[in-house]
Amino acid sequence: MNSKFLQRAASLALSGLMLTSLMAGCGGGNTNPQPTNAPATNAPAGTTDEGQQAKKREDFTGKLIIAHFNKDESEPLVETFKKAYPNVQVELQVTADTNGAYQTLITTALRSGQDVPDVFAAESAFVKRFVNLPDAYEDLSKYMSVDDLKSKLVPYTVEIGTDDNGVVRALSHQATAAAVGYKREMAKKYFGTDDPEKIGELFSSADKIVETGKKLVQESGGKAKLFPGMAELMRMYLGAREKGWVVDGKLTIDDKVKEFVKIAKELRDSGAEGGMEAWTPQWSAAVEDDIHFAYAIPTWGIPWIIDVNQAEENKGKGNWGLAKAPAPYTWGGTWFGMYSKSPNKELAWEFIKFITLDEEQSVAWAKQSGDFISNRAAIEKLSTDPEMISKTVNQNPYEFFGPMITGINGRIITQYDDTITNAFQDAMLSYLAGNTTEDQMWAQFKDQVRSDLGDQITVE
């Protein structure tokens, strides 16, 4: 596993940390949802031509093998499925992705065609690799049209689960939109308000971000900083791109990336950015201080960036707020697809359909786990549910994140993202530290990408 902080962020958030403890975020709820009719499909096994479920859930039998990289996420999902489908035997195989162990296990099995699980998960860092592997994931449009999938699920999650030929091969039960998380007391002290809309205006453009950072430094006598490190702003700007890192087989540098370089340099030079690497002890400890104002906070970041790093007496006190980032962006997530040669495709589709497309299950799962789900009808329902208000930010994440999730561009995600982003952040760290010029930074970045991926993409 690459130790650089951006990849480590995804790994820590979604490989062994996130879902189980998210249960503390939004309270209890029904942990045993009752069966409902399945969404309409293109008449897969187990349905009638009219698309209605021909079998009751208790009529499904057989054995389903599911592979995952995170037991904390997978075990509750599997248990919930087993309660709804009591006569289906489920074997869960969990392999942590330490040093890429899970990815190696799956790809080796696919190459040999032996011991491939019926359903296997992929996280955001490598889902694009998995959907593009030959003979790996089944084409899910055989079971429901792409238009129907996008109408029922957050569209960007479907786009990310789509291969380079436009075939949908994996779906996510989560929508992991992200925003600016800020400290309310610092907001009131330096900006005279902690209102989320007014704080969002402070991050609404490049000029505003630089102006806000410099004001913090000036008003605090040099004490306060806008961000603990460059990774916060970097995530926001990478999410705001129109073009991904690779377009038509070539390394592509979007204008938003160039804008980020300019702003990051201004913030560092003015003392408005703390120079911390994400997920380090210093970065985690800064959550509790009155110095570093804002963090990049995804839907799962309330419990796993804020709460986990706060003292017990400060948790649930509404000390934080959520404001809009310069543009909608996403961070993290897990996708599920079925093996293209599985002998148990009927059961595999039932599992994927159950955790993603069933509205009642999605609502129950959100209340059980605290997870932000991808089912659009469930999101709409939860956005007006007072039970979903987070005590940490004194806001309903569904009401806050709901309007922005349709603006996320899943098409900019590529299978090369983790490698290229790591090369970029390495070059940026050297540049911001004053060790290289901007021209040298770009040259270092391209040289590293050429070294890592030169046999797969063109670097000009």
Side-chain angles (χ1 to χ4, degrees), residues 230 261 264-265 268-269 273 427-436:
M230 77 159 191
V261 172
K265 181 64 171 172
R268 176 66 66 88
D269 289 350
E273 179 260 293
M428 278 296 297
L429 287 173
S430 181
Y431 171 54
L432 295 179
N435 298 327
T436 57

Side-chain angles (χ1 to χ4, degrees), residues 206-226:
D207 290 341
K208 282 285 190 180
I209 291 170
V210 173
E211 178 185 329
T212 301
K214 290 181 178 180
K215 181 176 181 178
L216 266 176
V217 173
Q218 181 179 356
E219 293 292 324
S220 67
K223 174 185 175 181
K225 300 180 184 300
L226 187 61

Side-chain angles (χ1 to χ4, degrees), residues 344-364:
N344 299 309
K345 289 182 180 178
E346 179 184 30
L347 291 180
W349 173 244
E350 285 299 310
F351 176 78
I352 294 171
K353 181 174 65 174
F354 174 73
I355 65 173
T356 60
L357 293 164
D358 187 281
E359 178 184 343
E360 185 176 345
Q361 154 60 17
S362 293
V363 169

Side-chain angles (χ1 to χ4, degrees), residues 48-211:
T48 66
D49 290 340
E50 288 73 32
Q52 297 300 314
Q53 189 170 342
K55 294 182 181 179
K56 295 180 180 179
R57 287 179 173 169
E58 57 265 31
D59 293 336
F60 284 91
T61 60
K63 181 178 180 180
L64 187 65
I65 300 176
I66 299 174
H68 205 290
F69 49 86
N70 177 358
K71 70 180 181 65
D72 291 335
E73 178 176 66
S74 56
E75 287 181 355
L77 281 172
V78 167
E79 287 304 312
T80 302
F81 176 76
K82 287 166 66 176
K83 288 179 182 178
Y85 291 79
N87 297 315
V88 175
Q89 180 184 356
V90 181
E91 178 184 334
L92 176 61
Q93 301 174 348
V94 179
T95 303
D97 198 39
T98 307
N99 297 320
Y102 173 79
Q103 297 179 65
T104 299
L105 180 71
I106 295 296
T107 53
T108 299
L110 288 169
R111 289 190 186 112
S112 68
Q114 297 179 350
D115 300 320
V116 184
D118 301 303
V119 175
F120 50 101
E123 72 168 2
S124 58
F126 55 83
V127 61
K128 276 297 185 183
R129 292 196 193 108
F130 274 26
V131 298
N132 283 294
L133 286 174
D135 299 321
Y137 284 141
E138 175 67 287
D139 176 1
L140 296 182
S141 66
K142 296 177 181 178
Y143 299 84
M144 180 174 285
S145 72
V146 176
D147 288 342
D148 282 346
L149 286 171
K150 287 187 174 182
S151 72
K152 295 178 183 298
L153 301 174
V154 174
Y156 92 82
T157 66
V158 180
E159 291 170 352
I160 291 177
T162 299
D163 71 15
D164 292 346
N165 295 315
V167 178
V168 179
R169 299 195 182 276
L171 301 178
S172 179
H173 64 300
Q174 305 164 319
T176 54
V180 177
Y182 63 93
K183 298 173 182 177
R184 289 185 182 271
E185 289 304 313
M186 288 186 68
K188 289 184 282 188
K189 181 176 181 179
Y190 296 116
F191 303 110
T193 179
D194 66 342
D195 179 79
E197 289 192 14
K198 293 181 179 179
I199 298 302
E201 292 172 4
L202 303 178
F203 295 88
S204 59
S205 69
D207 290 341
K208 282 285 190 180
I209 291 170
V210 173
E211 178 185 329

Side-chain angles (χ1 to χ4, degrees), residues 40 45 50 57 91 93 109 116 138 152 154 169 175 228 242 249 258 305 309 317 335 376 384 386 408 432 438 448 456:
E50 288 73 32
R57 287 179 173 169
E91 178 184 334
Q93 301 174 348
V116 184
E138 175 67 287
K152 295 178 183 298
V154 174
R169 299 195 182 276
E242 292 184 5
K258 298 174 183 177
I305 294 176
N309 290 310
K317 295 291 183 66
W335 279 256
R376 297 178 75 174
T384 59
I408 295 172
L432 295 179
E438 183 176 347
Q448 188 61 54
Q456 301 175 59

